[in-house]
Amino acid sequence: MAIFKFKSYYKMGPGVSKNEPEDSGLVRYFKIFFRKFWSLAYVNLIYCIFFIPLLALCLFLLHLAVNSPAADNTVILLLCFSPLALLGPANAGLVKITREFVREEPCFIWSDFMDAFRKNWKQSLVVSIFQYVGAVALFAAVWFYYNLIGNSFLYAVPFGLAVLFCLIFLFMSFYLELMVVTLNLRLKMLFKNALLLSFISIGRNFLTLLICGIIVALEVGFFIMSLAATQSAIVLFVAMTLMLFFAWLAYSANFMAFPTIMRCIIEPYYEAHPEETSESILHPENTRQQEEEGPPADYEPPEYVYENGRMIHRSVAEKHSIFEDQGNPADKDDEA
């Protein structure tokens, strides 16, 4: 079974010239960002449909906690934000759409968002609960050991370990939701792969953290300015939140994380399973199935096959094979 969950589109695009130079990472990042700006705004608004009611519930719980005897308990205050752990399915939709932007593949934003929401709600909910519980636990640990450093410098060791675990936790978060919507893996393998990728691509992970940190800093800056109650600052903060903030974060994280998943998981898988690639149709003599005595009696060819970083319908690959066998008519005319 193919490990992709990609939605296939049968219509072939105009393609890209072989001689066209490939853009560098930074240039490609901004080219896609500006080209998809309004699409990012659209998917961000869809995400806010789920985010804003849960945030309102969190603020209501926080109001109750602040006016209760537990107001001095930091952990209790953090638990007021537990409804945000229910955002998992919406996170899946957001990550799915922004992943397609990164891959420069066509998508129908609303329908594909809801499709990812429905298909991945179980795993994405588990991931979001894990992220919330982990964030609260690590924040409490960092805060606890930081306050104890004044009593004894020895507490700097567990404080440093807590900060290290925070970094690993953040790095894992770059991959978890992306793997949920991209790969058919069990939860155990999702967390294992996310942990491994947090170390394998550590330099890229730090760069992702820097980019996301800049985006968060902009959002916080607009929020602080809006507290001054100036009209322009309030407009900037609301516009940033409703139209860009969440989609920009997801797009940036996926732009950095998806190539790592391609290199470390997807490409090795299809190298080991050539029968699930378009190569098995275009050049069947080179596949493992042809090298053996023959396919098993119950073997069924996959409906979708892998080709150059994307999933295409098997019928499309078969058309390619027919054209390759017949040759290019224009070339034949030149020979004549």
Side-chain angles (χ1 to χ4, degrees), residues 199-226:
F199 289 99
I200 290 174
S201 191
I202 191 166
R204 198 176 185 91
N205 294 335
F206 272 110
L207 183 57
T208 307
L209 186 62
L210 175 63
I211 295 172
C212 293
I214 293 173
I215 298 171
V216 172
L218 285 173
E219 175 76 356
V220 172
F222 290 143
F223 174 72
I224 293 174
M225 288 189 296
S226 69

PDB file of all heavy atoms in Angstrom, residues 199-226:
ATOM      1  N   PHE A 199      16.070  15.065  15.261  1.00  0.00           N
ATOM      2  CA  PHE A 199      17.529  15.002  15.385  1.00  0.00           C
ATOM      3  C   PHE A 199      18.218  14.948  14.024  1.00  0.00           C
ATOM      4  O   PHE A 199      19.271  15.552  13.825  1.00  0.00           O
ATOM      5  CB  PHE A 199      17.940  13.765  16.203  1.00  0.00           C
ATOM      6  CG  PHE A 199      17.602  13.857  17.656  1.00  0.00           C
ATOM      7  CD1 PHE A 199      16.474  13.249  18.161  1.00  0.00           C
ATOM      8  CD2 PHE A 199      18.413  14.575  18.523  1.00  0.00           C
ATOM      9  CE1 PHE A 199      16.150  13.340  19.511  1.00  0.00           C
ATOM     10  CE2 PHE A 199      18.108  14.672  19.870  1.00  0.00           C
ATOM     11  CZ  PHE A 199      16.971  14.055  20.370  1.00  0.00           C
ATOM     12  N   ILE A 200      17.616  14.212  13.076  1.00  0.00           N
ATOM     13  CA  ILE A 200      18.242  14.032  11.765  1.00  0.00           C
ATOM     14  C   ILE A 200      18.424  15.360  11.038  1.00  0.00           C
ATOM     15  O   ILE A 200      19.455  15.616  10.416  1.00  0.00           O
ATOM     16  CB  ILE A 200      17.402  13.067  10.902  1.00  0.00           C
ATOM     17  CG1 ILE A 200      17.501  11.650  11.470  1.00  0.00           C
ATOM     18  CG2 ILE A 200      17.869  13.085   9.452  1.00  0.00           C
ATOM     19  CD1 ILE A 200      16.591  10.655  10.782  1.00  0.00           C
ATOM     20  N   SER A 201      17.411  16.223  11.118  1.00  0.00           N
ATOM     21  CA  SER A 201      17.445  17.495  10.392  1.00  0.00           C
ATOM     22  C   SER A 201      17.488  18.661  11.378  1.00  0.00           C
ATOM     23  O   SER A 201      16.721  19.610  11.269  1.00  0.00           O
ATOM     24  CB  SER A 201      16.210  17.601   9.487  1.00  0.00           C
ATOM     25  OG  SER A 201      16.322  18.677   8.597  1.00  0.00           O
ATOM     26  N   ILE A 202      18.420  18.593  12.321  1.00  0.00           N
ATOM     27  CA  ILE A 202      18.426  19.555  13.424  1.00  0.00           C
ATOM     28  C   ILE A 202      18.715  20.981  12.945  1.00  0.00           C
ATOM     29  O   ILE A 202      18.125  21.948  13.445  1.00  0.00           O
ATOM     30  CB  ILE A 202      19.432  19.115  14.514  1.00  0.00           C
ATOM     31  CG1 ILE A 202      19.245  19.966  15.779  1.00  0.00           C
ATOM     32  CG2 ILE A 202      20.868  19.164  13.997  1.00  0.00           C
ATOM     33  CD1 ILE A 202      19.948  19.392  16.985  1.00  0.00           C
ATOM     34  N   GLY A 203      19.608  21.143  11.967  1.00  0.00           N
ATOM     35  CA  GLY A 203      19.896  22.479  11.456  1.00  0.00           C
ATOM     36  C   GLY A 203      18.680  23.094  10.798  1.00  0.00           C
ATOM     37  O   GLY A 203      18.365  24.279  11.010  1.00  0.00           O
ATOM     38  N   ARG A 204      17.974  22.308   9.995  1.00  0.00           N
ATOM     39  CA  ARG A 204      16.765  22.791   9.328  1.00  0.00           C
ATOM     40  C   ARG A 204      15.681  23.095  10.353  1.00  0.00           C
ATOM     41  O   ARG A 204      14.893  24.029  10.185  1.00  0.00           O
ATOM     42  CB  ARG A 204      16.292  21.729   8.331  1.00  0.00           C
ATOM     43  CG  ARG A 204      15.323  22.236   7.281  1.00  0.00           C
ATOM     44  CD  ARG A 204      14.997  21.142   6.285  1.00  0.00           C
ATOM     45  NE  ARG A 204      14.170  21.638   5.214  1.00  0.00           N
ATOM     46  CZ  ARG A 204      14.606  22.145   4.075  1.00  0.00           C
ATOM     47  NH1 ARG A 204      15.911  22.227   3.872  1.00  0.00           N
ATOM     48  NH2 ARG A 204      13.771  22.565   3.147  1.00  0.00           N
ATOM     49  N   ASN A 205      15.635  22.300  11.427  1.00  0.00           N
ATOM     50  CA  ASN A 205      14.635  22.524  12.470  1.00  0.00           C
ATOM     51  C   ASN A 205      14.868  23.847  13.189  1.00  0.00           C
ATOM     52  O   ASN A 205      13.910  24.558  13.531  1.00  0.00           O
ATOM     53  CB  ASN A 205      14.654  21.371  13.468  1.00  0.00           C
ATOM     54  CG  ASN A 205      14.200  20.065  12.851  1.00  0.00           C
ATOM     55  OD1 ASN A 205      13.463  20.050  11.874  1.00  0.00           O
ATOM     56  ND2 ASN A 205      14.654  18.955  13.406  1.00  0.00           N
ATOM     57  N   PHE A 206      16.125  24.182  13.445  1.00  0.00           N
ATOM     58  CA  PHE A 206      16.428  25.465  14.083  1.00  0.00           C
ATOM     59  C   PHE A 206      16.026  26.631  13.165  1.00  0.00           C
ATOM     60  O   PHE A 206      15.531  27.653  13.640  1.00  0.00           O
ATOM     61  CB  PHE A 206      17.910  25.563  14.438  1.00  0.00           C
ATOM     62  CG  PHE A 206      18.242  25.004  15.790  1.00  0.00           C
ATOM     63  CD1 PHE A 206      18.965  23.833  15.919  1.00  0.00           C
ATOM     64  CD2 PHE A 206      17.830  25.660  16.952  1.00  0.00           C
ATOM     65  CE1 PHE A 206      19.272  23.313  17.173  1.00  0.00           C
ATOM     66  CE2 PHE A 206      18.131  25.155  18.204  1.00  0.00           C
ATOM     67  CZ  PHE A 206      18.850  23.975  18.320  1.00  0.00           C
ATOM     68  N   LEU A 207      16.247  26.456  11.861  1.00  0.00           N
ATOM     69  CA  LEU A 207      15.847  27.503  10.913  1.00  0.00           C
ATOM     70  C   LEU A 207      14.329  27.653  10.894  1.00  0.00           C
ATOM     71  O   LEU A 207      13.810  28.768  10.842  1.00  0.00           O
ATOM     72  CB  LEU A 207      16.380  27.165   9.518  1.00  0.00           C
ATOM     73  CG  LEU A 207      16.107  28.198   8.420  1.00  0.00           C
ATOM     74  CD1 LEU A 207      16.665  29.568   8.805  1.00  0.00           C
ATOM     75  CD2 LEU A 207      16.708  27.732   7.093  1.00  0.00           C
ATOM     76  N   THR A 208      13.604  26.522  10.945  1.00  0.00           N
ATOM     77  CA  THR A 208      12.148  26.569  11.013  1.00  0.00           C
ATOM     78  C   THR A 208      11.692  27.286  12.268  1.00  0.00           C
ATOM     79  O   THR A 208      10.769  28.115  12.231  1.00  0.00           O
ATOM     80  CB  THR A 208      11.565  25.144  11.005  1.00  0.00           C
ATOM     81  OG1 THR A 208      12.073  24.421   9.886  1.00  0.00           O
ATOM     82  CG2 THR A 208      10.045  25.174  10.932  1.00  0.00           C
ATOM     83  N   LEU A 209      12.361  26.988  13.380  1.00  0.00           N
ATOM     84  CA  LEU A 209      12.024  27.639  14.649  1.00  0.00           C
ATOM     85  C   LEU A 209      12.253  29.141  14.565  1.00  0.00           C
ATOM     86  O   LEU A 209      11.450  29.932  15.078  1.00  0.00           O
ATOM     87  CB  LEU A 209      12.866  27.030  15.771  1.00  0.00           C
ATOM     88  CG  LEU A 209      12.564  27.491  17.197  1.00  0.00           C
ATOM     89  CD1 LEU A 209      11.132  27.121  17.587  1.00  0.00           C
ATOM     90  CD2 LEU A 209      13.550  26.862  18.178  1.00  0.00           C
ATOM     91  N   LEU A 210      13.321  29.550  13.888  1.00  0.00           N
ATOM     92  CA  LEU A 210      13.608  30.973  13.727  1.00  0.00           C
ATOM     93  C   LEU A 210      12.529  31.663  12.903  1.00  0.00           C
ATOM     94  O   LEU A 210      12.034  32.746  13.277  1.00  0.00           O
ATOM     95  CB  LEU A 210      14.978  31.155  13.075  1.00  0.00           C
ATOM     96  CG  LEU A 210      15.381  32.593  12.719  1.00  0.00           C
ATOM     97  CD1 LEU A 210      15.484  33.445  13.980  1.00  0.00           C
ATOM     98  CD2 LEU A 210      16.693  32.605  11.944  1.00  0.00           C
ATOM     99  N   ILE A 211      12.145  31.053  11.780  1.00  0.00           N
ATOM    100  CA  ILE A 211      11.119  31.650  10.912  1.00  0.00           C
ATOM    101  C   ILE A 211       9.787  31.764  11.644  1.00  0.00           C
ATOM    102  O   ILE A 211       9.133  32.816  11.632  1.00  0.00           O
ATOM    103  CB  ILE A 211      10.962  30.807   9.632  1.00  0.00           C
ATOM    104  CG1 ILE A 211      12.241  30.843   8.798  1.00  0.00           C
ATOM    105  CG2 ILE A 211       9.777  31.308   8.800  1.00  0.00           C
ATOM    106  CD1 ILE A 211      12.244  29.887   7.634  1.00  0.00           C
ATOM    107  N   CYS A 212       9.393  30.672  12.315  1.00  0.00           N
ATOM    108  CA  CYS A 212       8.128  30.698  13.051  1.00  0.00           C
ATOM    109  C   CYS A 212       8.198  31.683  14.215  1.00  0.00           C
ATOM    110  O   CYS A 212       7.193  32.332  14.546  1.00  0.00           O
ATOM    111  CB  CYS A 212       7.788  29.292  13.555  1.00  0.00           C
ATOM    112  SG  CYS A 212       7.401  28.109  12.246  1.00  0.00           S
ATOM    113  N   GLY A 213       9.384  31.803  14.833  1.00  0.00           N
ATOM    114  CA  GLY A 213       9.546  32.764  15.916  1.00  0.00           C
ATOM    115  C   GLY A 213       9.360  34.195  15.451  1.00  0.00           C
ATOM    116  O   GLY A 213       8.767  35.023  16.159  1.00  0.00           O
ATOM    117  N   ILE A 214       9.840  34.500  14.252  1.00  0.00           N
ATOM    118  CA  ILE A 214       9.663  35.848  13.684  1.00  0.00           C
ATOM    119  C   ILE A 214       8.178  36.129  13.442  1.00  0.00           C
ATOM    120  O   ILE A 214       7.677  37.233  13.735  1.00  0.00           O
ATOM    121  CB  ILE A 214      10.467  35.991  12.380  1.00  0.00           C
ATOM    122  CG1 ILE A 214      11.975  35.948  12.684  1.00  0.00           C
ATOM    123  CG2 ILE A 214      10.098  37.282  11.653  1.00  0.00           C
ATOM    124  CD1 ILE A 214      12.840  35.902  11.445  1.00  0.00           C
ATOM    125  N   ILE A 215       7.457  35.124  12.922  1.00  0.00           N
ATOM    126  CA  ILE A 215       6.022  35.305  12.669  1.00  0.00           C
ATOM    127  C   ILE A 215       5.268  35.530  13.973  1.00  0.00           C
ATOM    128  O   ILE A 215       4.404  36.412  14.079  1.00  0.00           O
ATOM    129  CB  ILE A 215       5.463  34.082  11.918  1.00  0.00           C
ATOM    130  CG1 ILE A 215       6.154  33.936  10.553  1.00  0.00           C
ATOM    131  CG2 ILE A 215       3.952  34.202  11.737  1.00  0.00           C
ATOM    132  CD1 ILE A 215       5.834  32.642   9.835  1.00  0.00           C
ATOM    133  N   VAL A 216       5.601  34.727  14.993  1.00  0.00           N
ATOM    134  CA  VAL A 216       4.952  34.888  16.298  1.00  0.00           C
ATOM    135  C   VAL A 216       5.301  36.248  16.897  1.00  0.00           C
ATOM    136  O   VAL A 216       4.442  36.919  17.501  1.00  0.00           O
ATOM    137  CB  VAL A 216       5.364  33.748  17.249  1.00  0.00           C
ATOM    138  CG1 VAL A 216       4.863  34.017  18.665  1.00  0.00           C
ATOM    139  CG2 VAL A 216       4.825  32.414  16.746  1.00  0.00           C
ATOM    140  N   ALA A 217       6.551  36.676  16.745  1.00  0.00           N
ATOM    141  CA  ALA A 217       6.971  37.982  17.278  1.00  0.00           C
ATOM    142  C   ALA A 217       6.174  39.110  16.622  1.00  0.00           C
ATOM    143  O   ALA A 217       5.787  40.091  17.288  1.00  0.00           O
ATOM    144  CB  ALA A 217       8.459  38.184  17.061  1.00  0.00           C
ATOM    145  N   LEU A 218       5.917  39.009  15.317  1.00  0.00           N
ATOM    146  CA  LEU A 218       5.093  40.012  14.638  1.00  0.00           C
ATOM    147  C   LEU A 218       3.680  40.047  15.212  1.00  0.00           C
ATOM    148  O   LEU A 218       3.121  41.122  15.464  1.00  0.00           O
ATOM    149  CB  LEU A 218       5.041  39.709  13.135  1.00  0.00           C
ATOM    150  CG  LEU A 218       6.283  40.045  12.321  1.00  0.00           C
ATOM    151  CD1 LEU A 218       6.127  39.523  10.892  1.00  0.00           C
ATOM    152  CD2 LEU A 218       6.537  41.546  12.303  1.00  0.00           C
ATOM    153  N   GLU A 219       3.112  38.853  15.414  1.00  0.00           N
ATOM    154  CA  GLU A 219       1.757  38.782  15.973  1.00  0.00           C
ATOM    155  C   GLU A 219       1.705  39.378  17.378  1.00  0.00           C
ATOM    156  O   GLU A 219       0.804  40.153  17.710  1.00  0.00           O
ATOM    157  CB  GLU A 219       1.302  37.319  15.988  1.00  0.00           C
ATOM    158  CG  GLU A 219      -0.039  37.075  16.663  1.00  0.00           C
ATOM    159  CD  GLU A 219      -1.215  37.501  15.817  1.00  0.00           C
ATOM    160  OE1 GLU A 219      -1.004  38.065  14.721  1.00  0.00           O
ATOM    161  OE2 GLU A 219      -2.370  37.271  16.246  1.00  0.00           O
ATOM    162  N   VAL A 220       2.682  39.024  18.208  1.00  0.00           N
ATOM    163  CA  VAL A 220       2.734  39.559  19.576  1.00  0.00           C
ATOM    164  C   VAL A 220       2.950  41.069  19.544  1.00  0.00           C
ATOM    165  O   VAL A 220       2.353  41.816  20.339  1.00  0.00           O
ATOM    166  CB  VAL A 220       3.838  38.858  20.391  1.00  0.00           C
ATOM    167  CG1 VAL A 220       4.026  39.529  21.748  1.00  0.00           C
ATOM    168  CG2 VAL A 220       3.509  37.380  20.574  1.00  0.00           C
ATOM    169  N   GLY A 221       3.799  41.528  18.636  1.00  0.00           N
ATOM    170  CA  GLY A 221       4.039  42.964  18.519  1.00  0.00           C
ATOM    171  C   GLY A 221       2.779  43.730  18.156  1.00  0.00           C
ATOM    172  O   GLY A 221       2.481  44.785  18.745  1.00  0.00           O
ATOM    173  N   PHE A 222       2.006  43.204  17.196  1.00  0.00           N
ATOM    174  CA  PHE A 222       0.740  43.845  16.833  1.00  0.00           C
ATOM    175  C   PHE A 222      -0.242  43.829  18.002  1.00  0.00           C
ATOM    176  O   PHE A 222      -0.999  44.783  18.209  1.00  0.00           O
ATOM    177  CB  PHE A 222       0.111  43.152  15.621  1.00  0.00           C
ATOM    178  CG  PHE A 222       0.855  43.395  14.332  1.00  0.00           C
ATOM    179  CD1 PHE A 222       0.971  42.398  13.378  1.00  0.00           C
ATOM    180  CD2 PHE A 222       1.431  44.625  14.069  1.00  0.00           C
ATOM    181  CE1 PHE A 222       1.649  42.624  12.188  1.00  0.00           C
ATOM    182  CE2 PHE A 222       2.105  44.865  12.882  1.00  0.00           C
ATOM    183  CZ  PHE A 222       2.218  43.859  11.942  1.00  0.00           C
ATOM    184  N   PHE A 223      -0.216  42.737  18.770  1.00  0.00           N
ATOM    185  CA  PHE A 223      -1.114  42.645  19.927  1.00  0.00           C
ATOM    186  C   PHE A 223      -0.752  43.687  20.982  1.00  0.00           C
ATOM    187  O   PHE A 223      -1.636  44.358  21.537  1.00  0.00           O
ATOM    188  CB  PHE A 223      -1.047  41.242  20.523  1.00  0.00           C
ATOM    189  CG  PHE A 223      -1.819  41.093  21.805  1.00  0.00           C
ATOM    190  CD1 PHE A 223      -3.200  41.077  21.791  1.00  0.00           C
ATOM    191  CD2 PHE A 223      -1.157  40.979  23.017  1.00  0.00           C
ATOM    192  CE1 PHE A 223      -3.921  40.936  22.976  1.00  0.00           C
ATOM    193  CE2 PHE A 223      -1.866  40.851  24.205  1.00  0.00           C
ATOM    194  CZ  PHE A 223      -3.249  40.833  24.181  1.00  0.00           C
ATOM    195  N   ILE A 224       0.548  43.818  21.265  1.00  0.00           N
ATOM    196  CA  ILE A 224       0.988  44.801  22.260  1.00  0.00           C
ATOM    197  C   ILE A 224       0.630  46.215  21.813  1.00  0.00           C
ATOM    198  O   ILE A 224       0.162  47.044  22.605  1.00  0.00           O
ATOM    199  CB  ILE A 224       2.502  44.667  22.514  1.00  0.00           C
ATOM    200  CG1 ILE A 224       2.804  43.333  23.192  1.00  0.00           C
ATOM    201  CG2 ILE A 224       3.019  45.822  23.372  1.00  0.00           C
ATOM    202  CD1 ILE A 224       4.287  43.041  23.344  1.00  0.00           C
ATOM    203  N   MET A 225       0.832  46.486  20.526  1.00  0.00           N
ATOM    204  CA  MET A 225       0.471  47.814  20.019  1.00  0.00           C
ATOM    205  C   MET A 225      -1.034  48.050  20.085  1.00  0.00           C
ATOM    206  O   MET A 225      -1.485  49.168  20.321  1.00  0.00           O
ATOM    207  CB  MET A 225       0.970  47.975  18.584  1.00  0.00           C
ATOM    208  CG  MET A 225       2.476  48.136  18.463  1.00  0.00           C
ATOM    209  SD  MET A 225       3.000  48.588  16.779  1.00  0.00           S
ATOM    210  CE  MET A 225       2.489  47.143  15.850  1.00  0.00           C
ATOM    211  N   SER A 226      -1.809  46.976  19.877  1.00  0.00           N
ATOM    212  CA  SER A 226      -3.265  47.137  19.925  1.00  0.00           C
ATOM    213  C   SER A 226      -3.757  47.467  21.323  1.00  0.00           C
ATOM    214  O   SER A 226      -4.848  48.037  21.490  1.00  0.00           O
ATOM    215  CB  SER A 226      -3.953  45.867  19.417  1.00  0.00           C
ATOM    216  OG  SER A 226      -3.765  44.794  20.331  1.00  0.00           O
TER     217      SER A 226
END
